[in-house]
């Protein structure tokens, strides 16, 4: 009974966010899988740990750039958004050391797209309401976006498209 009272007090936006974030969280990849995702992560890591845009060469990118350093060819938007999550992962590693700093940091950086995609669904719901659509119609549009489009698939990784969608809709 207390739970139902709490749910009634929460706004539809909060409930939508919790609904989508929980779905995306349970289907999260949990690791960075592709070359461009790894490269953006390494730049975020380098910015936090070494205060440099240059990152250590990888199998995917082992050519040298200016001054013998390796730099990313990708835009900085996703990397900048990853920095706070990497920094939290790094701080947790300092408190609770593990064999590899990347275990916790990658998991936390991986939370970026579930958070962003859930926020995008809420923003889409709010946008529909602002455009004059009824609450039920706005809800259907948001749910369709969240579970019936590529948004769900992209929320599982560390790609830039969810952040682009949120910024474009904003």
């Amino acid at each position: 009974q207390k739970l139902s009272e709490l749910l009634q007090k929460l706004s539809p936006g909060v409930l939508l966010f919790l609904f989508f974030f929980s779905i995306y969280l349970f289907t999260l990849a949990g690791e960075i899988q592709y070359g461009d995702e790894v490269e953006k992560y390494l730049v975020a890591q380098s910015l936090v740990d070494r205060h440099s845009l240059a990152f250590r060469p990888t199998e995917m990118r082992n050519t040298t750039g200016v001054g013998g350093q390796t730099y990313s060819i990708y835009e900085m938007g996703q990397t900048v958004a990853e920095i706070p999550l990497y920094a939290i992962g790094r701080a947790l590693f300092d408190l609770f050391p593990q064999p590899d700093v990347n275990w916790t940091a990658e998991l936390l950086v991986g939370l970026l797209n579930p958070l962003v995609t859930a926020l995008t669904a809420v923003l889409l719901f709010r946008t529909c309401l602002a455009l004059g659509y009824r609450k039920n119609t706005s809800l259907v549009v948001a749910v369709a976006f969240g579970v019936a489009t590529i948004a769900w698939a992209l929320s599982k990784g560390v790609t830039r498209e969810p952040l682009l969608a949120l910024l474009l809709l904003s």
Side-chain angles (χ1 to χ4, degrees), residues 5 11-12 20 24 32-33 39 73 102 117 146 155:
E5 290 173 12
S11 73
F20 285 118
Y24 301 150
I32 298 175
Q33 301 175 334
E39 193 166 305
I73 62 169
N102 294 310
T117 308
S155 75

Side-chain angles (χ1 to χ4, degrees), residues 53-143:
L53 288 171
F55 63 93
R56 295 185 181 113
T58 64
E59 289 180 25
M60 301 295 289
R61 174 143 348 241
N62 55 17
T63 57
T64 56
V66 177
Q69 301 285 336
T70 303
Y71 295 95
S72 178
I73 62 169
Y74 299 102
E75 69 284 343
M76 292 293 295
Q78 182 77 16
T79 300
V80 169
E82 290 175 6
I83 288 173
L85 295 168
Y86 176 80
I88 293 169
R90 181 69 180 164
L92 287 173
F93 174 78
D94 292 340
L95 292 172
F96 309 103
Q98 299 171 14
D100 187 355
V101 66
N102 294 310
W103 289 355
T104 304
E106 278 189 24
L107 181 62
L108 286 173
V109 167
L111 292 177
L112 178 63
N113 280 353
L115 286 167
V116 167
T117 308
L119 285 172
T120 304
V122 172
L123 183 59
L124 182 59
F125 172 74
R126 295 281 197 180
T127 301
C128 289
L129 289 176
L131 291 172
Y133 290 99
R134 290 182 292 152
K135 193 175 187 178
N136 288 345
T137 304
S138 301
L139 184 62
V140 167
V141 169
V143 170

